[in-house]
């Protein structure tokens, strides 16, 4: 049963790695589309960079998913090796991964509201007048159709379904 848990953990790791890979490949196009939309809205160039908004694989969009992929890979290795620490650490690690994915899912579902709130916090009147939904839609449109919602939903299904499989395997072990 621990082998099944380890395989699920490796699939979860791959799901997390897909985030920076896709952002690395298509992030520049998303940034260009977002900036073109801002230009249509009469917002000056560079406002995104000034406020740290990115669509590429930089910053936490790379280190966070890779960190969680590393956790899942390490736990899978322990479980495949039959190390007794594997089971104990998997309970902790899998709970962490589930919580993280819930936060990611919530962030995906409330992206427009979150960006609007972040822009409002800056007090910058230029940011306050941005039509955030059109801005985000333009950025999302630069990604291939298979990314949103297909890859995004597949990733969530793998993380949630894989985590359930891991827990069932631990209980059965």
């Amino acid at each position: 049963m621990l082998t099944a848990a380890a395989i699920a953990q490796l699939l979860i790791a791959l799901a997390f790695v897909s985030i920076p890979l896709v952002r690395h490949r298509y992030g520049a196009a998303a940034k260009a589309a977002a900036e073109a939309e801002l230009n249509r809205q009469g917002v000056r160039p560079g406002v995104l960079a000034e406020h740290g908004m990115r669509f590429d694989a930089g910053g936490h969009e790379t280190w966070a998913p890779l960190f969680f992929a590393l956790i899942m890979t390490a736990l899978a290795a322990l479980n495949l090796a039959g190390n007794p620490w594997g089971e104990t650490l998997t309970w902790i690690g899998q709970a962490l991964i589930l919580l993280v994915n819930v936060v990611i899912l919530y962030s995906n579902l409330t992206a427009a509201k979150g960006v609007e709130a972040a822009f409002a916090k800056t007090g910058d009147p230029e940011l306050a007048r941005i039509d955030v939904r059109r801005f985000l839609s333009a950025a999302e449109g630069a990604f291939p159709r298979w990314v949103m919602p297909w890859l995004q939903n597949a990733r969530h299904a793998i993380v949630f379904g894989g985590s359930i499989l891991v827990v069932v395997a631990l209980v059965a072990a």
Side-chain angles (χ1 to χ4, degrees):
M1 287 307 287
L2 290 180
T3 300
I7 291 168
Q9 288 170 321
L10 291 173
L11 289 173
I12 292 168
L14 288 173
F16 274 97
V17 167
S18 73
I19 298 168
L21 287 177
V22 167
R23 282 183 165 269
H24 175 72
R25 172 67 178 89
Y26 301 105
K31 178 184 177 197
E35 287 178 344
E37 174 57 33
L38 291 179
N39 187 45
R40 278 191 284 282
Q41 294 184 30
V43 177
R44 65 186 160 75
V47 73
L48 294 180
E50 290 171 18
H51 294 281
M53 189 161 195
R54 306 172 67 143
F55 293 96
D56 63 6
H60 77 280
E61 294 291 349
T62 294
W63 69 257
L66 294 180
F67 174 74
F68 296 121
L70 182 61
I71 288 173
M72 286 291 94
T73 302
L75 292 174
L78 288 172
N79 287 326
L80 285 172
N83 187 308
W85 279 101
E87 284 186 61
T88 303
L89 293 174
T90 291
W91 283 106
I92 298 164
Q94 214 62 53
L96 173 67
I97 291 299
L98 276 170
L99 288 173
V100 164
N101 207 58
V102 166
V103 169
I104 291 170
L105 180 59
Y106 178 79
S107 173
N108 290 344
L109 294 173
T110 62
K113 287 183 181 182
V115 171
E116 287 168 353
F119 283 177
K121 271 186 190 177
T122 67
D124 184 335
E126 190 170 33
L127 290 179
R129 66 184 173 85
I130 293 174
D131 181 339
V132 172
R133 292 187 193 284
R134 288 183 64 195
F135 158 70
L136 290 177
S137 181
E140 287 177 11
F143 288 96
R145 292 190 124 176
W146 56 265
V147 171
M148 292 182 208
W150 299 109
L151 179 64
Q152 186 174 345
N153 290 341
R155 190 183 61 72
H156 288 303
I158 289 168
V159 174
F160 287 127
S163 294
I164 290 168
L165 178 64
V166 169
V167 169
V168 168
L170 288 177
V171 169

